[in-house]
Amino acid sequence: MSEGLSHATVLLQEAVEALEIKSDGIYVDGTFGRGGHSRLILQQLGSHGRLIALDKDPLAIAAAQQITDVRFQIVHSAFADLDAVLQELHVPQVDGVLLDLGVSSPQLDDAQRGFSFRFDAPLDMRMDTSKGQTAAEWLAVAEESLLRGVIRDYGEERFAAQIARTIVAARQKQPIETTRQLSEIVAQAVRTREPGQNPATRTFQAIRIYLNQELDELARILPQCVEHLRDKGRLVVISFHSLEDRMVKRFLRDMAEGDKLPRNVPIRASEVPQGKVQLIGKPIRASEAELAINPRARSAIMRIAERQGVSA
């Protein structure tokens, strides 16, 4: 990681408070990042508490390995593999799970990671740099129809067709290997954009989400979280764009409502299906004080749910 890169943990106090830490509880930080949430959780745990953190990013793993607390364990894994991780660690149930989604500030600010169009750097975009295609490798071979669909669906980009067509034409002349190249290519196809937003913003987001399977992994992890929570255990999820938050909102709503029965079926009140979770409060956003320090928190939205009805 480049020296000097810092990470302002979004909704730090709010997220850890939402977990309602028990002194002797077991907690999962599904996205260690640079450890802001994990460190605060450890401060609130007693001597018999335990924190298990996961991350795909080798640089995040290196940062986590600096924590020598015996109550803490870091695992190099996608959070979507939570089932396997907890099984390996012989931990069937936990008291809380925190998911801080998306890309971290150090990943954005490290030019060599290729996540940002603000730098001219190799076009990588992998959260786990130990495996998988780079963005440059994918752009070299992806069919125009796939490019169009990814940029449209994951970037919510109305100029997806024009961008995909321009990328295909450009790569026939020379390989697209840097963030600046891609940014300039997109700018050729996007003639208008919201004030203050770079024309490449949505395309970079879309490619990053697709390459790292972010929405697929989110869809996989949410049910696992609920199943591994003890009764009254908390799930706290921080999202940073509408695609993530929409998925989280719908999932938690469905879990809170329980199984749906056909209409007009006569049943006793005691037989009405109960939801697996209870929604806690309204969605929480960053305060004005936090936004003044960290403008990137502006898009963050946090949702909280509590597990219900788990047998002891």
Side-chain angles (χ1 to χ4, degrees):
M1 181 175 71
S2 299
E3 292 297 328
L5 298 182
S6 62
H7 177 53
T9 304
V10 174
L11 294 169
L12 174 59
Q13 298 290 338
E14 294 89 340
V16 177
E17 287 177 6
L19 286 171
E20 292 196 336
I21 301 295
K22 299 175 183 176
S23 176
D24 60 349
I26 302 175
Y27 294 87
V28 172
D29 183 350
T31 45
F32 178 82
R34 291 303 180 268
H37 290 121
S38 281
R39 289 182 174 87
L40 187 54
I41 291 170
L42 286 170
Q43 289 177 22
Q44 298 187 15
L45 283 175
S47 59
H48 296 291
R50 184 176 181 185
L51 174 61
I52 301 163
L54 289 69
D55 209 294
K56 296 196 296 185
D57 187 342
L59 294 180
I61 298 300
Q65 289 170 342
Q66 302 303 309
I67 299 177
T68 57
D69 196 314
V70 295
R71 302 168 301 167
F72 175 75
Q73 185 167 7
I74 183 66
V75 181
H76 185 193
S77 172
F79 60 43
D81 294 325
L82 180 64
D83 273 340
V85 169
L86 293 182
Q87 183 175 358
E88 178 72 18
L89 298 177
H90 306 290
V91 178
Q93 289 186 311
V94 300
D95 296 282
V97 180
L98 171 62
L99 303 177
D100 182 0
L101 306 176
V103 64
S104 68
S105 294
Q107 289 170 326
L108 284 171
D109 293 338
D110 186 345
Q112 296 306 307
R113 301 301 298 271
F115 284 109
S116 177
F117 45 74
R118 294 185 292 115
F119 313 103
D120 187 21
L123 195 54
D124 193 318
M125 293 198 192
R126 292 172 299 165
M127 290 186 180
D128 186 346
T129 53
S130 69
K131 60 184 179 182
Q133 276 186 313
T134 66
E137 291 168 341
W138 181 71
L139 286 172
V141 298
E143 294 184 0
E144 183 176 335
S145 59
L146 177 57
L147 284 167
R148 181 174 62 249
V150 166
I151 296 169
R152 179 193 64 222
D153 296 341
Y154 296 150
E156 298 182 293
E157 173 60 77
R158 65 182 184 276
F159 298 110
Q162 296 95 313
I163 295 170
R165 188 162 56 246
T166 305
I167 288 173
V168 170
R171 76 186 183 192
Q172 292 174 348
K173 298 176 182 178
Q174 69 176 114
I176 305 171
E177 297 178 336
T178 71
T179 54
R180 178 170 295 172
Q181 279 180 282
L182 178 58
S183 179
E184 291 175 350
I185 289 167
V186 174
Q188 296 173 24
V190 177
R191 300 301 182 185
T192 62
R193 181 53 77 220
E194 295 86 346
Q197 186 180 83
N198 188 290
T201 299
R202 295 178 183 275
T203 297
F204 270 66
Q205 171 186 296
I207 295 172
R208 188 203 84 215
I209 290 173
Y210 176 79
L211 283 180
N212 293 288
Q213 300 181 314
E214 293 177 40
L215 295 183
D216 292 339
E217 293 195 349
L218 180 57
R220 288 173 56 198
I221 183 59
L222 291 172
Q224 295 179 53
C225 292
V226 171
E227 292 308 313
H228 283 290
L229 284 175
R230 291 193 176 100
D231 193 39
K232 305 302 181 183
R234 292 283 184 94
L235 170 60
V236 179
V237 186
I238 304 172
S239 305
F240 287 86
H241 58 73
S242 60
L243 295 174
E244 292 173 339
D245 183 57
R246 199 177 303 142
M247 183 178 294
V248 174
K249 178 181 179 180
R250 289 174 177 171
F251 172 81
L252 294 181
R253 180 195 62 200
D254 290 346
M255 287 293 99
E257 291 178 352
D259 296 332
K260 294 181 175 61
L261 296 174
R263 292 189 178 186
N264 302 321
V265 174
I267 60 172
R268 298 182 179 89
S270 61
E271 297 173 332
V272 175
Q274 300 299 306
K276 291 186 175 182
V277 304
Q278 176 184 349
L279 304 184
I280 303 298
K282 295 182 179 179
I284 295 173
R285 294 186 178 274
S287 66
E288 290 299 322
E290 179 172 359
L291 292 176
I293 300 171
N294 182 18
R296 285 177 177 166
R298 187 169 302 280
S299 60
I301 181 168
M302 184 174 78
R303 297 183 185 273
I304 309 162
E306 184 176 275
R307 188 71 161 97
Q308 302 292 312
V310 182
S311 300

